[in-house]
Amino acid sequence: MAYNDLRAFITALEENGELKRVTAEIDPVLEIAELADRAVKSGGPALLCENPTGYSIPVLINAFASMRKMELALEVDSIDSIAARISEYVAMKTPEGLLGKLKMLPKLAEMGSFFPKEVRSGPVKEVIKKDGFSLLDYPVLKCWPGDAGRFITLPLVFTKNPETGKRNVGVYRMQVYDERSTGMHWQTHKQGAEHYRRRLAAGKEERMEVAVAIGADPATMFSGILPLPPDLDEMLFAGFLRSKPVELVKCETVDLEVPAHAEIVLEGYVTLGELKTEGPFGDHTGFYSLEDDFPVFHVTCVTQREKPIYATTIVGPPPMEDYYMGKAIERAFLPLMRLQIPELVDINMPAEGIFHNLMIVSIRKSYPLQARKVMNAVWGLGQAMFTKCIVVVDDDVDIQNLSEVTWKVLNNIDPERDFQFTMGPIDQLDHPSRLPNYGSKVGIDATRKWPEEGFHRPWPGVLKMDASVKKRVDRICKQLGIG
Ligand SMILES: Cc1cc2nc3c(=O)[nH]c(=O)nc-3n(C[C@H](O)[C@H](O)[C@H](O)COP(=O)(O)O)c2cc1C
Ligand SMILES: [Mn+2]
């Protein structure tokens, strides 16, 4: 049964021993962040801070901060089962004959349940404040000492494509400037920024309507970070994940719909052309992202539950909560990547690579220079374009084992031959690139080299002991208590 809202998820976390209530007073300025950092790094529980200093609204953090919590969030035993469900749809063929069509009906009915459903009202409308509200009334965190201020870190930002009318949802952090305005940190490659650019170029409007939901059922929250193609509705994908439509309600002051079961919704607009300094902010990379100009979000109305819960996260030196969210995407989206890159066997983006800095991929190699083709395909695939370093290995390497990867890659490369440098778009948070959003990438072809690739020396096998010897030594080991 899909969670209706954030509260149902909190209950599930608690019942599974994955949530601790923090009754001690703790400050949203730095202290909650420090506690959350320690909790995630020690494999600890999600935290519901019931007494944030100076506020009566509880703060939820680390709700997704382990693979187990991600599984609870998405109601699966393993994230791989989401990949399997996606594969079923990918493999769907035109049915043959009546029997084939009949067999397909349950799948089609299931698909019908993914579409978001518009409802007339919901808990997020329990309190509607068109005036007399202030963003300073919410326990928004200051995460790191050098941060420019308090940042809303897990907002679902809803916008519409002015040309197609299609919705987009992205998680873009928001620096609280004052009672009614924040930064809107949609990076230049993201859909919110694209909607903004198109409206600005059209020159027809002065304002772009934006709505922000904070805290919702976990599938809906998670869908905000998914790297979906433009115009593919995140709310549809959330419906797929929870096997139940996301219920949406119309906003009060803008022409957008938001989750009816959200905790808090901020409605408002971004003035086209208005920019303001945003940051610095202690970022995913574990470094501060520097201050830069971003649009400003003006809040015109707040709707919320009577007693809302403020959902947030912190980012910083890995692993943090966002690593597990990213890992879930990596696991779930593998079948979709395989649609584009069929030779792909597995991928691994280690925590230390902060998603885009390192992607290890294993492939079934069938023709010369195929590793190079795979690198270029990854660099051409949606947000995988940001990948700074791609390492390609043969499918006999277990790429989830980083020790094996390091050992085999370092042994198998002739660096001058096997490194491929290229230029391309760079994640906006990348600090060493020579210009913002502009820089280089490297691909390492660590596959076994073939004669057709100009390699005519023999390629040695990996060392492996005889099975019969192993068996005999097993017994001796047992006597000695070794291994
Ligand atoms: C905790 C967290 C914070 C994020 N903050 C930002 C942000 O400030 N700006 C941004 O562009 N992307 C941010 N992202 C990444 C986007 O949510 C992600 O790239 C998403 O796929 C964008 O969706 P879009 O393609 O619909 O724009 C964040 C992700 C997480 C998990
Ligand atoms: Mn999107």
Side-chain angles (χ1 to χ4, degrees):
M1 272 307 285
Y3 303 115
N4 249 338
D5 53 19
L6 188 64
R7 286 133 203 263
F9 177 42
I10 290 173
T11 304
L13 285 168
E14 199 162 23
E15 283 171 1
N16 284 276
E18 292 285 349
L19 180 122
K20 272 233 159 73
R21 289 174 187 271
V22 182
T23 50
E25 189 181 308
I26 184 159
D27 201 326
V29 174
L30 304 181
E31 285 183 1
I32 292 182
E34 172 65 13
L35 178 66
D37 189 22
R38 290 192 202 182
V40 66
K41 293 212 169 46
S42 60
L47 302 166
L48 187 63
C49 303
E50 298 180 321
N51 287 306
T53 310
Y55 301 87
S56 54
I57 298 174
V59 175
L60 177 71
I61 194 162
N62 281 357
F64 300 94
S66 65
M67 285 325 273
R68 179 69 193 126
K69 293 184 200 79
M70 279 306 316
E71 289 159 4
L72 284 169
L74 302 177
E75 299 175 274
V76 290
D77 294 328
S78 153
I79 301 296
D80 292 333
S81 66
I82 298 171
R85 270 184 75 210
I86 293 177
S87 292
E88 280 176 33
Y89 283 96
V90 168
M92 228 159 74
K93 290 189 288 235
T94 316
E96 277 175 33
L98 187 62
L99 195 66
K101 283 183 183 143
L102 283 175
K103 272 194 184 153
M104 213 162 159
L105 284 178
K107 271 246 114 41
L108 293 177
E110 192 191 17
M111 278 169 87
S113 75
F114 303 160
F115 291 90
K117 188 167 126 193
E118 217 174 284
V119 295
R120 309 226 358 229
S121 191
V124 74
K125 302 286 191 184
E126 282 170 10
V127 178
I128 298 174
K129 293 192 253 188
K130 289 191 183 152
D131 42 42
F133 62 83
S134 168
L135 295 175
L136 310 182
D137 292 341
Y138 298 88
V140 178
L141 304 193
K142 179 176 178 183
C143 304
W144 295 98
D147 285 3
R150 300 190 188 227
F151 287 75
I152 300 171
T153 52
L154 210 46
L156 297 169
V157 179
F158 288 70
T159 57
K160 268 188 188 156
N161 181 334
E163 284 155 29
T164 62
K166 293 276 174 68
R167 166 178 32 245
N168 189 70
V169 187
V171 170
Y172 316 123
R173 72 168 186 244
M174 293 157 48
Q175 178 180 348
V176 176
Y177 291 136
D178 53 38
E179 292 197 331
R180 302 211 171 173
S181 76
T182 76
M184 183 47 79
H185 188 262
W186 45 49
Q187 293 156 22
T188 193
H189 310 93
K190 308 297 172 74
Q191 286 311 301
E194 182 61 20
H195 293 179
Y196 174 90
R197 272 191 298 271
R198 289 191 190 190
R199 287 176 191 274
L200 191 63
K204 286 190 239 158
E205 315 156 300
E206 278 173 25
R207 296 172 167 188
M208 165 175 173
E209 296 188 331
V210 177
V212 174
I214 304 168
D217 73 89
T220 298
M221 288 176 72
F222 175 63
S223 72
I225 67 162
L226 296 178
L228 298 181
D231 280 0
L232 210 159
D233 187 0
E234 280 81 5
M235 293 301 98
L236 173 67
F237 208 90
F240 163 78
L241 287 172
R242 60 204 294 274
S243 296
K244 198 179 166 192
V246 178
E247 294 191 343
L248 299 174
V249 277
K250 279 201 185 317
C251 286
E252 301 297 311
T253 60
V254 292
D255 184 23
L256 290 162
E257 301 81 41
V258 285
H261 297 269
E263 296 293 319
I264 301 164
V265 164
L266 311 177
E267 302 180 5
Y269 62 89
V270 161
T271 305
L272 298 173
E274 183 193 8
L275 299 176
K276 188 166 169 172
T277 304
E278 199 267 7
F281 176 69
D283 226 312
H284 304 273
T285 54
F287 295 81
Y288 285 102
S289 56
L290 306 176
E291 54 178 48
D292 200 352
D293 286 345
F294 277 89
V296 182
F297 176 54
H298 298 275
V299 185
T300 51
C301 175
V302 176
T303 76
Q304 63 172 59
R305 292 170 180 252
E306 242 152 57
K307 289 197 152 83
I309 295 167
Y310 177 74
T312 193
T313 188
I314 58 158
V315 295
M320 283 290 195
E321 182 168 16
D322 60 325
Y323 163 69
Y324 298 99
M325 300 173 92
K327 207 52 175 179
I329 298 178
E330 175 200 295
R331 293 293 92 199
F333 276 27
L334 194 54
L336 293 175
M337 272 187 93
R338 280 207 198 100
L339 273 182
Q340 312 282 324
I341 312 172
E343 58 271 73
L344 204 67
V345 174
D346 198 8
I347 74 167
N348 184 10
M349 291 185 275
E352 295 77 3
I354 321 293
F355 316 117
H356 52 268
N357 285 338
L358 177 60
M359 184 188 292
I360 303 160
V361 309
S362 56
I363 63 166
R364 207 169 293 114
K365 179 167 162 177
S366 325
Y367 48 81
L369 287 180
Q370 194 167 0
R372 311 278 174 140
K373 176 264 192 183
V374 169
M375 293 169 196
N376 288 298
V378 169
W379 286 322
L381 189 65
Q383 289 186 40
M385 69 171 140
F386 300 130
T387 311
K388 198 191 277 192
C389 179
I390 303 176
V391 180
V392 188
V393 297
D394 288 306
D395 60 357
D396 59 355
V397 180
D398 173 7
I399 60 169
Q400 303 305 331
N401 178 342
L402 292 179
S403 163
E404 179 174 340
V405 171
T406 314
W407 159 49
K408 287 189 174 164
V409 168
L410 293 175
N411 273 282
N412 283 355
I413 55 169
D414 172 352
E416 194 187 29
R417 180 195 60 201
D418 293 332
F419 276 51
Q420 166 101 48
F421 292 99
T422 192
M423 297 296 291
I426 298 292
D427 188 280
Q428 202 160 0
L429 302 179
D430 190 76
H431 58 262
S433 55
R434 62 208 81 179
L435 290 171
N437 308 310
Y438 179 104
S440 70
K441 290 134 193 309
V442 63
I444 302 173
D445 175 359
T447 60
R448 188 174 298 122
K449 297 303 170 313
W450 293 6
E452 295 89 331
E453 295 173 318
F455 186 82
H456 294 287
R457 298 177 61 204
W459 194 278
V462 170
L463 311 191
K464 221 173 158 192
M465 188 45 69
D466 292 337
S468 55
V469 175
K470 275 181 169 263
K471 224 174 181 177
R472 273 196 313 265
V473 176
D474 274 349
R475 250 181 291 134
I476 300 172
C477 274
K478 220 171 183 180
Q479 285 169 5
L480 295 171
I482 293 175

